[in-house]
Amino acid sequence: MSTSTQIKVISMASAHQRREQFAAGAAHGTARWEFFDALRLPAQGLHYDEPLTVRRFGRALKPGEVGCYASHYEVWRQFLMSAADQLLVFEDDVMVDWPLIEQLCAHRLADHGIDVLRLYTSHPINVRIAKYKLLSDHSHLMQVRGYLYGTQAYVLSRRGAEALLSACRVMTMPVDWAMSRYWVCGMPAFTLFPFPVLERHGPSTIEHAQQIGASSLASHRVDRFLWRLRDRAARAWFDLTSSPASPMGSTADVGGPYLGPSGT
């Protein structure tokens, strides 16, 4: 590969079947990857502010959400201590198009203005075309507008990881919500269409507790409403003033793939 990509797979150490499934799916690929044992509690540099979480998110985070957030945050932190150019993160319950992923990892995405590239989402999203034919005639770069839920797979540049570490060091919402707030990180977020990663259907192993209802205190509802109003205004301002319309030039569906075998 022409650039150095660190690949981490977040997985509970006890999730033997899921680890076996992931390893079997990756067996025919050439990319080097390793499991990261998922955390249960925040580690170095991360603080969980439960009262602020209740005011902003409406409820405290479940234990599994805390562990999930802590795991992703620690992977980012360790990546920045390495010499790798970019970080590719998977959770262990995914099916991966390894040939396309290996092609993607051959390019230093930061050189093309891509610092955060999400590779899957669990809910419908608002996007616009940033570049037709990114990796092939049927792989397109889309710019995300608003929240993108799910942390099953994504790529970060060093700049992207630094921005997330800074923006997410106080835990007040699930990690996918925190990662989605590109207007706070100060850089646009992108995804690929179609997704090169799909989530397997099955029970979660991050040990969610039973659903916790949103706080009904009037003061919390007011705080939550005002915070969301300010947050939406900040997002709209970023989209209007700071988000590039076409980071790679023309979006016309012509010519060969931009980052294909013969691309730049």
Side-chain angles (χ1 to χ4, degrees):
M1 295 182 180
S2 59
T3 191
S4 173
T5 303
Q6 184 182 97
I7 303 177
K8 295 287 188 177
V9 182
I10 296 176
S11 175
M12 298 290 293
S14 59
H16 304 300
Q17 182 177 0
R18 295 174 75 150
R19 289 189 172 207
E20 290 172 1
Q21 285 181 324
F22 186 92
H28 300 294
T30 60
R32 298 182 61 183
W33 57 272
E34 62 181 354
F35 286 116
F36 173 87
D37 291 344
L39 304 180
R40 298 178 183 273
L41 297 171
Q44 181 176 342
L46 178 62
H47 170 65
Y48 174 38
D49 188 332
E50 184 169 305
L52 186 58
T53 301
V54 173
R55 293 200 302 272
R56 287 187 174 179
F57 188 60
R59 61 168 174 81
L61 297 184
K62 302 173 231 180
E65 290 172 321
V66 172
C68 184
Y69 195 124
S71 299
H72 285 272
Y73 192 91
E74 181 63 13
V75 166
W76 307 338
R77 192 187 71 81
Q78 291 186 16
F79 159 61
L80 289 176
M81 296 173 62
S82 75
D85 297 314
Q86 55 195 18
L87 170 69
L88 171 57
V89 177
F90 293 120
E91 293 181 349
D92 65 357
D93 57 344
V94 297
M95 298 177 288
V96 181
D97 182 348
W98 282 104
L100 188 141
I101 289 296
E102 290 172 5
Q103 182 183 345
L104 179 69
C105 291
H107 300 278
R108 194 193 312 264
L109 298 181
D111 292 346
H112 304 282
I114 304 173
D115 293 296
V116 181
L117 180 65
R118 308 288 286 275
L119 301 178
Y120 179 79
T121 180
S122 57
H123 291 69
I125 52 175
N126 181 15
V127 295
R128 65 179 181 181
I129 297 170
K131 190 66 178 178
Y132 280 108
K133 299 183 177 183
L134 182 72
L135 297 168
S136 71
D137 288 343
H138 304 112
S139 177
H140 313 291
L141 182 70
M142 313 297 287
Q143 185 173 350
V144 179
R145 292 299 187 90
Y147 282 96
L148 184 155
Y149 300 111
T151 51
Q152 288 84 353
Y154 57 89
V155 183
L156 299 179
S157 70
R158 297 189 70 85
R159 177 173 177 261
E162 289 169 352
L164 285 174
L165 278 179
S166 176
C168 302
R169 64 178 177 269
V170 178
M171 190 189 314
T172 62
M173 62 189 70
V175 66
D176 54 345
W177 285 53
M179 286 185 66
S180 292
R181 303 176 71 236
Y182 56 84
W183 53 98
V184 176
C185 294
M187 59 188 67
F190 299 96
T191 188
L192 289 182
F193 179 81
F195 298 132
V197 174
L198 293 176
E199 183 180 24
R200 294 181 186 274
H201 290 281
S204 173
T205 60
I206 61 173
E207 300 180 3
H208 286 305
Q210 63 181 5
Q211 183 65 39
I212 304 171
S215 171
S216 60
L217 290 177
S219 60
H220 288 171
R221 293 200 305 270
V222 171
D223 285 347
R224 189 157 62 250
F225 173 77
L226 293 176
W227 179 80
R228 290 181 176 178
L229 192 64
R230 291 192 297 269
D231 200 49
R232 288 179 182 178
R235 184 181 79 192
W237 181 251
F238 182 90
D239 288 342
L240 181 65
T241 63
S242 305
S243 187
S246 301
M248 298 180 181
S250 172
T251 60
D253 189 6
V254 297
Y258 184 80
L259 294 182
S262 59
T264 57

